[in-house]
Amino acid sequence: MKILFVSSEMNPLAATGGLGDVVGSLPRVLRQKGHDARVVLPLYRQIKQDYLEDLTFMRWAMIKLGWRTMYSGLFRLDLDGLPVYLIDNEFYFGHDNLYIDYSFDIERFSFFQRAVLETLGDEMDFEPDILHLNDWQTGMIPVILEAHYKSKDYHKNVNCVMTIHNLKYQGIHGREQIQDLFDLSDDYMSEGGILKDGVPNFLKTGIQYSNRVTTVSPNYAKEIMTDYFGEGLNGLLAAQGWKVSGILNGIDTESYNPETDAEIKTNYSPNAWKRGKGSCKKALQAELSLAQDAKTPLFVMVTRLVEQKGLDLLLHIVDELLEENVQLVVLGTGNQEYERRLAEAAGRHPDKMRALIKFDGKLARRMYSAGDLYLMPSLFEPCGLSQMIAMRYGTLPIVRQTGGLADTVQAYDKFNNTGTGFGFLNINAHELLYTAKEAISVYNSRPDAWNNMVQAAMLSDFSWDKSADEYIKLYEDIVKETYQID
Ligand code: ADP
C-alpha cells in the first residue's frame, strides 16, 4: 500500500512534541513491513538550514489561496531511505518557530493543505492509497479532496485516515476567511459540513470527512466520547463512533535504547541496570551541581509546560514534596507563568531542585537515564510518550491514570509488590503527593520490589510493531471498501 503522512512535525527534522516522534517513527516501521510510506511537511527554516545539501528541488507551482496566488515549491529529501516531501514558501514557513500565532497559523496551514493536494500524484510522482492526516493542521484535506478533486474525477481512490494526537487544539477561524482560503461553496458551510457552533473548525472537518479516525490510545478513544474530555466534539465522535478507534503509539525503541544510547554516561540493560543507571544519576547530579548522593530518590520531568501536563498539581505540592529527602529536576518550555513558577520553586530549594527552561533532547536523554522516578500527573493525555521513554530507561513513572497513561503504566500493586510505575486517579494535588510518598517509601524500604519494578518497566514492549499492524489493518479495510473487495 502507498501511504502519505501529512503532518506539521516530524522528528528529527522539526518537532515540538509527541506528534513529531510519531511521524518520525511510524512511517519507517510501515516501510519495514513492506509498505510504501512517505511523509510531507512544511519546509521550515530550520530544515532548510540543517539539510540544505540533501534537498532535491522537484517542482514549483502557483497556488490560489483566497485573493492571493502564492508560490509553492516542492522539495524532496531522503531520510535514511524514507522519502520526505517538503512544501516551500518563505512567507509562511521561513520562520524560526514551527508555530507562530493563532490566526497566522490558520493561514499557514491552509496554504500547506492546499499545496499538498496540488502536488499529489504527478508533481510528487506519488499517488497514495491513503492520506494519513494528523491533527488540526491537516483536518481540511478530506473536504478539499472531495470538493475540488474527487468531484472532478481526480484522486478518486485516495482515502483519508485522521489521527487525533490532541483534541484540545482544533483550528477554529472566521467563516468568511476560511470559505475564501479554501474556495468552498456554501454547501459546505453548515453544521453538517465544516462548521461547529457556527464557525469553521478544522479538526471537526477532519473527523467528519475522513474514512477513519484514530486516537493514539484505546483509553483516550473512549474518553473523548465524554463531555469532560470531548472538547465539544464528543457528540460528533460518538455519532461517528463506528469509524473511531484507538491505536497506541509506540516509541522509537532503537533510538531510545539505554543499551546503545550514545548520549548517556553509561549504557545499561534490563538485566544489568544498577551500576549503569547509578553512573548516569551521578553524572546528572554533578552536571547540575546537586549532591551526588546515590540513595536520594531523583525525580525528573521532561515536558511542554502547559496546563494539560498537571503542572498546577505539582506546583501546589512541590514545597511539601521537597521536604522529603529527594531531588527534582524539571526540563521544559512553554507557558511563561509555569516557567516563572518553576524557576521560583527551584530558587526556594537550591539544594534540591533545578528548573531547566529550554528544549534540549540530549539533556532529556540524560534525565531519562538518571532519574529514579518520572513525574507525569497529566489532566488528560491522549497517549504520552515520555512515560514510555522513562520506563524504557528504568525510571518509574508517577502518573494520573488517564488516557494513554492508564494503557501503558501498570500502577504499583502494594499487595503483590508489582507494577511498572505508580498511579493516582483524581485531579487532586494531595493524591499526587501521597503517591509520590508511596513511591519514595518503596524506593527506600523495599529494594526487591523496586528492582523488580524497574526491570519490568524496562522489559515492557513499547515498540511500534503491534500498533503498526493495527494501522495496516485499518488501511487495508479502507482500500477494500474503495474497491469493494470482500
Ligand atoms: P506531548 O506530545 O503532549 O508534548 P508526549 O509525552 O507525547 O507529550 O511527547 C513529548 C516528547 O517531547 C517526549 O519525547 C519528550 O521527551 C519531548 N520533550 C518535551 N519537552 C521537552 C524539552 N523541553 N526538551 C526535550 N525534549 C522534550
Side-chain angles (χ1 to χ4, degrees):
M1 269 174 307
K2 292 191 279 226
I3 306 121
L4 182 65
F5 281 78
V6 190
S7 175
S8 59
E9 301 192 15
M10 177 192 189
N11 236 339
L13 300 181
T16 66
L19 167 63
D21 280 2
V22 172
V23 178
S25 46
L26 175 59
R28 274 184 200 293
V29 183
L30 294 171
R31 288 183 79 80
Q32 283 159 12
K33 290 179 178 280
H35 299 283
D36 189 354
R38 306 185 185 194
V39 182
V40 57
L41 76 158
L43 183 53
Y44 299 110
R45 174 180 289 170
Q46 72 180 85
I47 307 179
K48 236 184 210 173
Q49 282 167 356
D50 298 349
Y51 293 85
L52 188 64
E53 289 176 2
D54 305 317
L55 292 172
T56 310
F57 175 76
M58 293 185 75
R59 311 252 196 297
W60 67 273
M62 298 307 284
I63 307 260
K64 195 175 160 301
L65 195 70
W67 57 270
R68 289 191 179 126
T69 304
M70 301 295 282
Y71 160 85
S72 164
L74 180 68
F75 286 79
R76 185 179 156 147
L77 170 71
D78 277 302
L79 207 61
D80 303 321
L82 171 65
V84 180
Y85 300 100
L86 297 140
I87 303 286
D88 182 33
N89 177 295
E90 260 308 296
F91 175 67
Y92 289 130
F93 304 123
H95 305 272
D96 288 333
N97 294 322
L98 271 59
Y99 308 115
I100 300 172
D101 78 59
Y102 195 81
S103 98
F104 189 39
D105 286 351
I106 293 271
E107 186 179 324
R108 295 166 71 227
F109 290 103
S110 297
F111 166 79
F112 174 62
Q113 296 177 83
R114 299 212 64 172
V116 167
L117 287 178
E118 276 301 296
T119 52
L120 213 62
D122 289 346
E123 305 274 313
M124 274 183 187
D125 301 324
F126 188 64
E127 177 84 358
D129 301 301
I130 302 288
L131 282 170
H132 194 140
L133 313 173
N134 296 279
D135 279 353
W136 73 266
Q137 293 90 344
T138 59
M140 295 298 283
I141 285 193
V143 76
I144 326 168
L145 187 63
E146 178 187 298
H148 298 324
Y149 298 90
K150 290 195 174 191
S151 62
K152 296 174 189 145
D153 261 5
Y154 294 110
H155 308 312
K156 274 268 187 215
N157 296 322
V158 178
N159 287 299
C160 297
V161 171
M162 170 97 223
T163 295
I164 302 170
H165 300 259
N166 201 326
L167 197 60
K168 201 176 174 70
Y169 309 106
Q170 299 183 359
I172 298 166
H173 207 57
R175 191 177 159 141
E176 276 171 27
Q177 291 99 317
I178 297 302
Q179 188 166 12
D180 188 41
L181 285 170
F182 290 100
D183 198 12
L184 283 170
S185 71
D186 287 339
D187 298 348
Y188 291 98
M189 308 310 286
S190 69
E191 295 294 315
I194 73 163
L195 305 185
K196 166 80 178 84
D197 301 330
V199 281
N201 179 314
F202 285 18
L203 193 63
K204 181 253 166 153
T205 304
I207 295 167
Q208 179 99 9
Y209 287 91
S210 291
N211 300 69
R212 292 288 192 286
V213 175
T214 68
T215 66
V216 288
S217 69
N219 195 36
Y220 189 62
K222 282 189 228 144
E223 287 175 345
I224 58 174
M225 310 271 176
T226 65
D227 281 345
Y228 181 77
F229 293 97
E231 303 286 347
L233 295 178
N234 44 307
L236 173 70
L237 285 159
Q240 309 232 344
W242 65 271
K243 67 178 183 189
V244 181
S245 63
I247 300 180
L248 198 64
N249 280 340
I251 56 171
D252 184 338
T253 47
E254 263 174 49
S255 164
Y256 291 118
N257 183 353
E259 288 188 62
T260 54
D261 190 334
E263 299 298 336
I264 67 177
K265 177 77 180 170
T266 307
N267 292 115
Y268 55 93
S269 70
N271 294 324
W273 54 270
K274 271 209 140 155
R275 204 185 53 80
K277 210 167 157 47
S279 145
C280 293
K281 177 170 173 178
K282 199 169 168 201
L284 186 76
Q285 289 168 325
E287 179 183 339
L288 301 177
S289 308
L290 289 166
Q292 289 171 54
D293 184 348
K295 295 213 162 76
T296 303
L298 173 60
F299 286 67
V300 295
M301 185 170 192
V302 180
T303 185
R304 288 185 296 124
L305 298 177
V306 294
E307 192 189 6
Q308 172 196 341
K309 299 298 177 178
L311 292 155
D312 292 297
L313 300 186
L314 174 64
L315 284 161
H316 198 76
I317 51 100
V318 70
D319 294 313
E320 268 180 272
L321 176 64
L322 291 174
E323 280 171 20
E324 306 285 315
N325 177 32
V326 297
Q327 294 171 337
L328 169 62
V329 180
V330 182
L331 168 64
T333 53
N335 179 317
Q336 286 180 356
E337 181 70 12
Y338 289 130
E339 293 181 350
R340 183 182 62 74
R341 288 170 67 195
L342 284 166
E344 278 172 8
R348 289 195 299 276
H349 303 277
D351 52 339
K352 289 188 167 179
M353 177 176 172
R354 295 289 176 271
L356 310 162
I357 306 301
K358 57 183 168 181
F359 192 96
D360 184 339
K362 292 181 179 177
L363 174 57
R365 286 166 185 270
R366 297 199 292 279
M367 288 171 62
Y368 285 120
S369 66
D372 297 299
L373 287 155
Y374 187 85
L375 285 173
M376 200 157 175
S378 304
L379 307 187
F380 70 93
E381 196 59 73
C383 177
L385 300 174
S386 313
Q387 82 281 10
M388 292 192 261
I389 302 170
M391 284 185 271
R392 179 121 172 105
Y393 284 81
T395 302
L396 299 183
I398 297 179
V399 302
R400 192 171 93 78
Q401 288 162 291
T402 184
L405 298 174
D407 282 325
T408 53
V409 179
Q410 242 180 287
Y412 173 62
D413 171 348
K414 65 180 170 205
F415 300 108
N416 295 308
N417 271 312
T418 54
T420 58
F422 299 84
F424 63 100
L425 277 173
N426 298 304
I427 299 179
N428 178 319
H430 282 91
E431 272 192 42
L432 166 62
L433 181 64
Y434 172 84
T435 311
K437 285 187 177 175
E438 182 178 44
I440 295 167
S441 135
V442 178
Y443 179 88
N444 286 332
S445 51
R446 294 190 189 165
D448 288 347
W450 184 269
N451 294 344
N452 288 338
M453 287 176 75
V454 170
Q455 192 178 42
M458 292 186 73
L459 289 172
S460 305
D461 180 7
F462 297 122
S463 74
W464 270 105
D465 192 52
K466 189 166 154 280
S467 302
D469 287 342
E470 289 179 46
Y471 278 114
I472 291 167
K473 166 89 175 51
L474 197 73
Y475 303 149
E476 279 170 353
D477 286 348
I478 298 172
V479 170
K480 277 183 201 158
E481 283 163 20
T482 310
Y483 295 101
Q484 303 198 325
I485 307 167
D486 288 329

